[in-house]
Every structure is written in structure tokens, then in C-alpha cells.
Amino acid sequence: MNLYRTMRHVGHPHPHITMIYPPAEATHQEVLDDARLFKITLDRLLTHLGIKLKIPRVGGQEVNLHRLYKEVTEMGGLDVVIANKQGGYDNGRLRCGDCQ
């Protein structure tokens, strides 16, 4: 039984590349509700994919990735935010004081 999920990335600079994702460790709602669980599952996913995360800084402060994830989800998801050009920081939803 294959526990891994594969996805082709349409719109990716290299759409012929197929990524293999591990099985989900938590539900979407659990990740939204728990910042600690969000961090754990993100770290494990990125480790599996061989990606080292460098948390961006805005105004000298690290971005709270869990808060950003929740805000983007509330706005309809990444595709909607990109299509509507809704930057989380320049539309007032995430101000620098809220980064932590």
C-alpha cells in the first residue's frame, strides 16, 4: 500500500517534476488550531522534502508562520491571495507588530 501522495505542480517552473508527500500527520483544522502542531508538522514535511526553512523577517522581526498560514486560509487560500494580489503585510491584515 502506497502511503505517499504524489502531485504534479502545474504552473511550477518545472511542471514535469513530481513531488512525493508523506501522509498527513494531522488534520487541517488541528494544524490551524495549534501553533505547536503546525510547527512540528511543517518541520517534518520540509525535512522529508529536503528543504531547509529560513523564517523571513519583516521590520526586523521573524514572521509568525502559523499566524500567516491562518490569515491566508481565512482569505481563501494561497491561490486566491495570489490572484487577488492580497499581500498579508501590505493590506493591513498582518502588521509588523503582529509578526510574533
Side-chain angles (χ1 to χ4, degrees):
M1 180 165 92
N2 184 1
L3 297 178
Y4 290 87
R5 199 174 98 202
T6 61
M7 287 180 63
R8 287 196 168 267
H9 290 270
V10 178
H12 185 276
H14 305 287
H16 59 281
I17 294 175
T18 300
M19 298 292 290
I20 299 175
Y21 292 92
E25 295 184 24
T27 68
H28 182 250
Q29 192 60 51
E30 290 170 333
V31 170
L32 280 175
D33 292 342
D34 186 342
R36 186 178 142 282
L37 181 61
F38 171 83
K39 172 97 171 79
I40 290 168
T41 56
L42 177 62
D43 287 343
R44 287 181 181 161
L45 173 64
L46 295 178
T47 297
H48 172 83
L49 297 174
I51 298 170
K52 180 161 174 50
L53 177 64
K54 181 175 180 188
I55 298 174
R57 294 182 160 274
V58 175
Q61 297 178 352
E62 278 190 353
V63 172
N64 179 330
L65 296 179
H66 181 249
R67 172 95 189 270
L68 179 61
Y69 180 75
K70 287 174 68 170
E71 292 283 344
V72 169
T73 298
E74 288 174 14
M75 289 188 264
L78 183 59
D79 292 336
V80 172
V81 171
I82 291 170
N84 295 335
K85 299 181 180 171
Q86 296 173 297
Y89 291 97
D90 58 13
N91 74 2
R93 290 194 70 144
L94 284 177
R95 294 173 305 282
C96 251
D98 295 335
C99 292
Q100 293 194 16

